[in-house]
Amino acid sequence: MLNDGHTVTINLKGYSMRPFLENERDKALLTKAVNPKVGDPVLAEVGPGVFVLHRIIAIDGENVTLRGDGNLGCEHCKMKCVYGAVVGFYRKGRSKLDRTDAMKWKVYSWIWMRLYPVRRYLLAIYRRIYDLRNKKK
């Protein structure tokens, strides 16, 4: 559908885009990836039938390095395996789209990418707080 010019909304599964996005809570609106660049969140195939929604952290020719905001490790693919570009996210059950070209997302992305050296600790704290809040519900 993306190749035909349609947009696609997918439900997010997994914890790789924490702390901004949550498993089975949020959705992503995708369009066909055209000229993706470093910092863009994309849908990519990193192995046969294995798709991830991660941020591009490096491009070297046709080689793309990806990392989820909630991940410490990287994944790799070829540029031809980057299929979708994220237009925005529907977060916390809202119907209003948080667009990736909006200032809010750009500021968040800029800060979060630079916090990589301490991300392990920030994610551990976030996970504990999030888990405690959900146990109280």
Side-chain angles (χ1 to χ4, degrees):
M1 291 178 70
L2 293 172
N3 284 335
D4 293 336
H6 299 282
T7 59
V8 175
T9 301
I10 61 170
N11 293 317
L12 301 180
K13 291 191 179 232
Y15 301 96
S16 67
M17 291 298 283
R18 271 184 165 180
F20 191 63
L21 303 169
E22 273 301 327
N23 176 54
E24 296 184 357
R25 181 192 75 184
D26 301 322
K27 299 176 184 181
L29 178 64
L30 305 170
T31 188
K32 182 179 179 178
V34 178
N35 196 26
K37 53 193 176 309
V38 171
D40 289 350
V42 296
L43 177 70
E45 187 174 21
V46 295
V50 179
F51 292 86
V52 296
L53 187 90
H54 288 342
R55 186 186 304 276
I56 295 176
I57 61 166
I59 299 173
D60 183 15
E62 288 300 307
N63 298 311
V64 179
T65 303
L66 306 155
R67 182 184 301 128
D69 285 0
N71 291 357
L72 300 174
C74 297
E75 297 181 88
H76 306 276
C77 70
K78 298 291 184 189
M79 186 62 78
K80 68 181 181 182
C81 294
V82 176
Y83 296 111
V86 178
V87 174
F89 298 100
Y90 295 102
R91 298 180 58 241
K92 300 179 180 179
R94 296 181 191 136
S95 59
K96 182 177 183 248
L97 185 68
D98 284 336
R99 295 187 56 89
T100 56
D101 60 358
M103 187 57 66
K104 175 182 172 181
W105 177 263
K106 289 179 181 183
V107 169
Y108 163 79
S109 298
W110 186 88
I111 292 169
W112 191 247
M113 288 180 71
R114 279 148 188 83
L115 287 175
Y116 180 72
V118 295
R119 190 180 291 183
R120 171 186 314 269
Y121 308 107
L122 297 172
L123 288 168
I125 292 166
Y126 173 82
R127 186 175 57 247
R128 284 184 180 89
I129 292 169
Y130 185 83
D131 289 347
L132 282 174
R133 284 179 46 208
N134 283 336
K135 283 182 184 178
K136 291 180 181 179
K137 289 183 180 180

